[in-house]
């Protein structure tokens, strides 16, 4: 379970915008308000529900325990959490857009790029100092 705060919600909104916009562009679909906005909402809602149900922080901490004390650990943890969320969000969006029959090929066609884009976005968000750090 995550600790809810304004920064987390802003990060969720940014990631929903970035992931949905990237998925739309990678799929070759036009950026039209009538489809872009609802699927951004799907991405945001899916992310929030996943945060409520999946202890991604604990999973990432467990999988990166061997890196404790090393500078690379936060980046590996971010990768694990990003991988979980991008997988869930992109599968949900593929299902919502094309249904179960063709969702896996549609999902796979953009998945690796979305993992990379989501990871870079998450690292950038991580590097932005919070008010208490500034």
């Amino acid at each position: 379970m995550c600790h809810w705060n304004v920064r987390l919600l802003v990060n969720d909104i940014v990631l929903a915008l970035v992931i949905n916009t990237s998925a739309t562009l990678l799929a070759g679909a036009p950026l039209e308000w009538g489809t872009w906005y609802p699927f951004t909402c799907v991405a945001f809602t899916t992310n929030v529900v996943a945060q409520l149900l999946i202890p991604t922080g604990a999973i990432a901490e467990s999988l990166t325990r061997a890196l404790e004390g090393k500078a690379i650990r936060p980046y590996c943890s971010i990768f694990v959490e990003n991988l979980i969320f991008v997988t869930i969000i992109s599968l949900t969006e593929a299902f919502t857009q094309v249904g179960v029959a063709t969702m896996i090929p549609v999902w796979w066609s953009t998945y690796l790029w979305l993992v990379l884009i989501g990871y870079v976005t998450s690292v950038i968000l991580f590097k932005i100092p919070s008010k208490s750090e500034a």
Side-chain angles (χ1 to χ4, degrees):
M1 183 77 151
C2 61
H3 300 283
W4 295 97
N5 56 48
V6 172
R7 182 179 175 123
L8 178 64
L9 291 173
V10 169
N11 287 357
D12 288 350
I13 291 167
V14 169
L15 284 166
L17 291 167
V18 168
I19 294 298
N20 182 60
T21 302
S22 300
T24 301
L25 294 172
L26 288 167
L31 284 176
E32 296 175 348
W33 183 255
T35 53
W36 177 84
Y37 176 75
F39 289 120
T40 299
C41 292
V42 167
F44 175 76
T45 303
T46 301
N47 195 26
V48 169
V49 170
Q51 287 173 343
L52 289 171
L53 299 176
I54 303 167
T56 55
I59 293 168
E61 184 179 315
S62 174
L63 292 175
T64 61
R65 187 163 285 124
L67 300 172
E68 193 165 347
K70 298 193 183 337
I72 196 164
R73 185 177 189 190
Y75 300 99
C76 293
S77 290
I78 290 168
F79 180 80
V80 171
E81 289 192 53
N82 178 71
L83 187 64
I84 294 167
F85 288 126
V86 170
T87 300
I88 294 167
I89 292 167
S90 59
L91 276 169
T92 302
E93 288 213 3
F95 172 74
T96 305
Q97 291 178 24
V98 299
V100 73
T102 57
M103 72 182 258
I104 297 300
V106 168
W107 168 75
W108 186 247
S109 70
T110 60
Y111 176 66
L112 296 177
W113 281 110
L114 293 177
V115 168
L116 178 64
I117 292 165
Y119 179 68
V120 169
T121 303
S122 295
V123 168
I124 290 169
L125 292 170
F126 171 73
K127 297 297 272 179
I128 296 172
S130 67
K131 284 184 179 181
S132 62
E133 298 170 335

